[in-house]
Amino acid sequence: MNGAQGRDPDPDPDRDRDRDRTWFLTRFRRGRARTPRSLVGGGPADRHTLAFDGRELPAQPGQSIAAVLWNAGILAWRTTREGGAPRGAFCGTGSCHDCLVTVNGRPNQRACLVPAGPGDTVTTQEGTGRAELGV
Ligand code: FES
């Protein structure tokens, strides 16, 4: 005899659906979502700012300058030596040098690798970033 044939039909077919709905509502109500961050009570600590071409941008400890710029919706922050084409982060690993910026007056810093320090002054870089040398 087939086991399924001998069983009584489920007396309350909506029971599982209601149980799932209750489980969902107790855990994911609006504004009360349980996330890994909320479970441990963590959050970004010691936020600071940096200046990018005169704009104050929020930064968090450990963020790269490229991450800060992306977070602000800035995708290009230098131009190429020939043609002046816009560039931003490409590889994100320090290999391509597309993300060069001037940080605190030092040109050719890779934004994807340099951590955003409190009060850093970052500026777009045109060409080699060494216009004063006439290179
Ligand atoms: S994005 Fe390629 S070196 Fe920074």
Side-chain angles (χ1 to χ4, degrees), residues 105 107 128-135:
T128 61
R130 298 185 185 278
E132 75 280 3
L133 300 177
V135 180

Side-chain angles (χ1 to χ4, degrees), residues 88-99 110-113:
F90 180 68
C91 70
T93 61
S95 299
C96 73
H97 296 76
D98 262 5
C99 63
R110 286 172 282 182
C112 67
L113 297 181

Side-chain angles (χ1 to χ4, degrees), residues 3-11:
Q5 291 174 338
R7 277 194 225 144
D8 289 335
D10 190 345

Side-chain angles (χ1 to χ4, degrees), residues 22-96:
T22 301
W23 181 89
F24 178 82
L25 290 175
T26 57
R27 286 161 181 81
F28 298 101
R29 283 190 187 135
R30 178 187 280 178
R32 296 182 59 202
R34 291 177 55 178
T35 64
R37 180 181 289 176
S38 69
L39 290 173
V40 298
D46 303 327
R47 294 175 190 230
H48 58 271
T49 60
L50 61 78
F52 174 72
D53 287 347
R55 282 175 62 186
E56 289 290 317
L57 301 179
Q60 297 176 14
Q63 265 189 318
S64 68
I65 289 174
V68 171
L69 297 176
W70 274 350
N71 192 42
I74 300 166
L75 302 179
W77 50 81
R78 85 167 179 97
T79 56
T80 58
R81 282 178 287 183
E82 295 182 25
R87 292 288 186 270
F90 180 68
C91 70
T93 61
S95 299
C96 73

